[in-house]
């Protein structure tokens, strides 16, 4: 099992993942601003979807010490194998309806750390986390997508952060869902999150990252 270093940013500070990157200049901007993780989306319905060739080029732009993450949605073994054969990755993020058993299968097959997204809209949704903690390396606590949503994430929605105030889990976890440069500090204050994930919150249009917003988001997380 590969272990990745994700200690970029201020010592003891909150780590940032910039997800849905599609352009080399945005990869460089995120890394230079202090992002600990860079996310590449492999989901055709997403405006942030990248091909394997694109993802490979983007990953090669990332400096050492920044974790490169592939976001997958109910990917088949063949799809996972094809991505891993070409793209230098450090982690897989599973954002579909993968069962705990499937998460364990993918983790073993890939030989990489796995982060499993769990959608939250109400307190009852948190009950799914322990089963995934048992098989994943990290948990992404995200806003639950509406039933009619085309995307499992990246919808710009947040959930009631008070639902997880003071919560502690056995595995590292990351907060996602509707975060922006304007609200991320408050989200961290309410939840105690040590890691945050943003995609649409640093875009000028769906799939169009904004370098100024990326810098503003990371500055809000890591002030000073």
């Amino acid at each position: 099992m590969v272990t990745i270093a994700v200690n970029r940013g201020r010592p003891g500070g909150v780590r940032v993942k910039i997800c849905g990157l599609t352009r080399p200049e945005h990869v460089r901007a995120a890394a230079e601003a202090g992002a600990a993780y860079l996310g590449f989306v492999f989901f055709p319905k997403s405006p942030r979807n990248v091909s394997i060739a694109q993802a490979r080029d983007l990953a090669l732009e990332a400096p050492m010490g920044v974790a490169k993450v592939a976001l997958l949605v109910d990917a088949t073994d063949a799809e996972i194998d094809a991505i891993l054969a070409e793209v230098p990755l450090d982690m897989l993020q599973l954002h579909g309806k993968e069962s705990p058993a499937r998460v364990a299968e993918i983790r073993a097959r890939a030989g990489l750390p796995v982060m499993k997204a769990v959608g939250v809209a109400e307190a009852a949704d948190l009950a799914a986390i322990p089963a995934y903690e048992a098989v994943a390396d990290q948990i992404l606590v995200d806003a639950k997508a509406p039933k009619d949503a085309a995307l499992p994430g990246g919808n710009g929605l947040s959930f009631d952060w008070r639902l997880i105030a003071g919560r502690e889990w056995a595995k590292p976890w990351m907060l996602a869902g509707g975060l922006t440069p304007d609200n991320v500090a408050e989200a961290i204050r309410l939840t105690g999150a040590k890691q945050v994930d943003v995609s649409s919150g640093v875009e000028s249009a769906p799939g169009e990252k904004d370098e100024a917003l990326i810098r503003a988001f990371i500055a809000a997380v890591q002030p000073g």
Side-chain angles (χ1 to χ4, degrees), residues 182-197:
D182 294 328
N183 69 14
V184 67
E186 177 67 2
I188 292 168
R189 186 187 71 79
L190 285 173
T191 65
K194 298 300 183 184
Q195 304 189 107
V196 291
D197 185 357

Side-chain angles (χ1 to χ4, degrees), residues 19-171:
C19 196
L21 293 159
T22 60
R23 297 185 184 180
E25 60 268 30
H26 297 155
V27 168
R28 292 191 292 269
E32 289 168 4
Y37 305 82
L38 306 174
F40 311 119
V41 174
F42 294 90
F43 186 54
K45 293 182 180 180
S46 172
R48 304 163 190 94
N49 182 58
V50 291
S51 68
I52 290 176
Q54 286 176 305
R56 181 180 183 277
D57 290 344
L58 293 169
L60 291 174
E61 289 286 340
M64 293 291 291
V66 183
K68 302 173 292 294
V69 184
L71 188 157
L72 308 174
V73 180
D74 298 315
T76 65
D77 286 349
E79 290 168 338
I80 293 169
D81 291 348
I83 292 168
L84 293 177
E86 298 293 334
V87 187
L89 293 167
D90 300 296
M91 178 178 279
L92 302 182
Q93 177 180 324
L94 307 182
H95 223 295
K97 297 179 180 179
E98 300 91 356
S99 67
R102 178 58 177 157
V103 172
E105 288 176 1
I106 292 173
R107 184 175 183 267
R109 186 180 189 88
L112 290 174
V114 168
M115 180 189 301
K116 178 66 179 91
V118 176
V120 175
E122 56 188 34
D125 294 321
L126 299 172
I129 291 179
Y132 286 113
E133 275 192 296
V135 292
D137 297 274
Q138 297 200 39
I139 300 296
L140 181 76
V141 184
D142 196 4
K144 195 172 191 175
K147 291 184 178 180
D148 59 350
L151 306 178
N155 293 292
L157 302 174
S158 61
F159 63 95
D160 184 350
W161 296 318
R162 293 171 296 182
L163 290 174
I164 60 172
R167 291 264 185 167
E168 293 186 5
W169 288 290
K171 295 288 179 70

